[in-house]
């Protein structure tokens, strides 16, 4: 038993079964704090191919450029924020593109919302030269500039509650056989999932964007219909039991885009659109062709495999979605205008 398992077992012995969101929050905090899981337990779009971060860089640059063309008063410092930046790969690839945009880098400060010390160290290495600031939560983000916020596979790691119908919600108990799923009573009668942490964060960010200007781009996995029973544990790239070994597997759940759009008032919501369509609109196919040109066939093949993984509907192209939120007066972001 790891230290977390011992403390969770003691807590359940003292207080009874734990609500699933409390369990998931404790497990994921330990999991991310103690390792860099990327490429081992799971892989994310920026780790699949540099094309992903480059497209996001183009998206940010285009939006910023059109915002200042429209309103030159916005030509002042802007804070580029990433929520849960992992190894910092997405921003490193995006900033390579943004560095070519005249005026952007001199105006841009980087702010990273990240709780894991292991991943903060990886981000510092990937973004050396950019002097990012780190934040435990969005509360301490700068208040004096517009915010351009990116979140890729961040919201899926936030803790969910699962309502099972019949007045029960998912909980976790502990007995001689170890941890196991159980239930607690709830007044909720309909089966559904709810991520209160994601709702609270989007509500807070929407207030900031409304006051400070800017936009947020959320990319994550989730179906169009409201999520039910989507909790998933991954360990070593394989599905695992979410209750077996607390803090040793990656726990995620589908993101409820419709719910997040509802709490983002008074911002304008764009999408969600399938990731494959979003990246195609940003020009990923021609960028992949340019990157492959003149390359040995094995390198060209791996660029194309990365492209397919990001965009093909059977891979990440359809289940993953992109949704943007913009402050009043900000332009419609690229990828959402058709
Ligand atoms: N965006 C990255 C990593 C995704 S993994 C990528 O696409 O590769 C999830 C990231 O969110 C990790 O960096 C993890 O440490 C961070 N994270 C998870 N829960 C968090 C929380 N409650 N607050 C801040 N960061 C969190």
């Amino acid at each position: 038993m790891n230290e977390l398992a011992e403390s969770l077992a003691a807590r359940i012995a003292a207080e009874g079964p734990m609500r699933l969101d409390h369990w998931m929050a404790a497990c994921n905090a330990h999991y991310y704090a103690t390792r860099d899981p990327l490429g081992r337990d799971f892989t994310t779009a920026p780790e699949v191919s540099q094309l992903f971060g480059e497209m996001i860089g183009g998206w940010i640059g285009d939006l910023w450029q059109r915002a200042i063309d429209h309103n030159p008063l916005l030509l002042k410092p802007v804070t580029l924020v990433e929520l849960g930046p992992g190894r910092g790969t997405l921003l490193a690839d995006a900033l390579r593109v943004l560095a070519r945009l005249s005026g952007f880098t001199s105006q841009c400060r980087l702010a990273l919302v990240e709780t894991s010390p292991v991943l903060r160290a990886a981000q510092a290495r990937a973004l050396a030269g950019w002097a990012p600031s780190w934040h435990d939560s969005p509360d301490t983000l700068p208040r004096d500039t517009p915010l351009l916020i990116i979140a890729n596979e961040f919201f899926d790691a936030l803790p969910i509650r699962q309502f099972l119908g019949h007045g029960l919600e998912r909980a976790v108990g502990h007995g001689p056989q170890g941890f196991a799923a159980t239930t607690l009573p709830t007044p909720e009668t309909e089966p559904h999932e709810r991520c209160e942490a994601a709702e609270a964060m989007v509500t807070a960010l929407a207030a900031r964007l409304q006051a400070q200007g800017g936009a947020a781009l959320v990319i994550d996995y989730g179906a169009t219909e409201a999520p039910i029973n989507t909790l998933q544990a991954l360990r070593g790239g394989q599905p695992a039991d979410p209750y077996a070994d607390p803090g040793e597997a990656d726990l995620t759940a589908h993101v409820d885009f419709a719910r997040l759009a509802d709490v983002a008032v008074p911002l304008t919501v764009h999408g969600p659109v399938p990731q494959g369509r979003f990246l195609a609109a940003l020009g990923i196919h021609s960028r992949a062709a340019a990157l492959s040109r003149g390359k040995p066939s094995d390198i060209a093949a791996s660029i194309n495999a990365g492209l397919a993984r990001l965009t093909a509907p059977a891979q990440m192209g359809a289940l993953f979605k992109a949704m943007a939120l913009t402050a009043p007066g900000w332009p419609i972001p690229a990828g959402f205008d058709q």
Side-chain angles (χ1 to χ4, degrees):
M1 259 216 241
N2 66 25
E3 240 172 72
L4 174 69
E6 280 175 27
S7 82
L8 291 173
R11 180 167 160 186
I12 292 169
E15 298 171 14
M18 267 175 95
R19 256 168 48 185
L20 177 62
D21 56 335
H22 298 156
W23 169 267
M24 189 172 169
C27 290
N28 273 353
H30 175 90
Y31 175 76
Y32 284 108
T34 50
R35 76 208 71 205
D36 171 356
L38 291 148
R40 280 184 274 273
D41 288 335
F42 62 95
T43 299
T44 56
E47 302 299 332
V48 165
S49 166
Q50 71 186 73
L51 292 166
F52 188 78
E54 289 176 352
M55 291 303 115
I56 306 301
W59 183 91
I60 295 165
D62 168 73
L63 185 70
W64 179 77
Q65 187 71 60
R66 285 188 294 124
I68 58 174
D69 286 351
H70 181 70
N71 178 3
L73 289 178
L74 290 169
L75 183 54
K76 58 182 188 187
V78 60
T79 307
L80 179 52
V81 179
E82 188 172 354
L83 309 179
R87 288 184 181 158
T89 309
L90 189 164
L91 275 184
D93 291 334
L95 286 163
R96 243 188 359 261
V97 172
L98 286 163
R100 290 190 227 126
L101 184 61
S102 153
F104 185 82
T105 46
S106 61
Q107 301 289 345
C108 167
R109 307 176 198 158
L110 275 194
L112 311 179
V113 177
E114 175 62 69
T115 40
S116 160
V118 177
L119 292 172
R120 280 187 180 200
Q123 293 152 21
R125 287 191 295 276
L127 299 166
W130 288 96
S133 61
W134 277 273
H135 304 262
D136 287 333
S137 86
D139 299 346
T140 56
L141 289 172
R143 292 185 179 271
D144 56 348
T145 75
L147 303 174
L148 297 174
I149 303 166
I150 307 295
N152 184 62
E153 288 202 51
F154 170 73
F155 286 106
D156 66 7
L158 298 187
I160 59 156
R161 294 177 73 173
Q162 269 185 349
F163 299 101
L164 307 173
H166 311 292
L168 295 173
E169 85 169 282
R170 175 62 65 221
V172 185
H174 185 254
Q177 256 73 58
F179 296 98
T182 178
T183 56
L184 281 169
T186 172
E188 300 274 342
T189 51
E190 290 301 311
H192 66 284
E193 287 177 352
R194 186 152 179 205
C195 187
E196 290 162 358
E199 288 174 30
M201 203 173 283
V202 170
T203 304
L205 290 171
R208 290 294 209 97
L209 290 170
Q210 167 80 2
Q212 295 172 226
L217 177 64
V218 176
I219 303 179
D220 225 309
Y221 83 129
T224 315
E225 58 278 10
I228 298 182
N229 201 19
T230 71
L231 178 70
Q232 161 178 293
L234 275 185
R235 192 171 180 177
Q238 300 298 320
D241 176 349
Y243 311 113
D245 251 332
E248 299 300 327
D250 176 52
L251 301 184
T252 61
H254 282 202
V255 169
D256 187 348
F257 285 98
R259 181 77 196 147
L260 296 186
D262 282 346
V263 300
V265 285
L267 304 184
T268 309
V269 177
H270 311 270
V273 299
Q275 174 170 297
R277 207 170 93 202
F278 177 67
L279 294 173
L282 299 182
I284 196 169
H285 294 277
S286 51
R287 174 63 185 142
L291 207 53
S292 310
R293 208 165 293 134
K295 295 277 173 18
S297 59
D298 56 330
I299 302 213
S302 90
I303 293 168
N304 280 318
L307 173 68
R309 185 142 173 214
L310 295 178
T311 60
Q315 301 195 57
M316 297 175 81
L319 181 57
F320 281 76
K321 314 265 181 326
M323 181 171 83
L325 311 172
T326 50
W330 278 65
I332 298 175
F336 296 100
D337 41 10
Q338 345 42 2

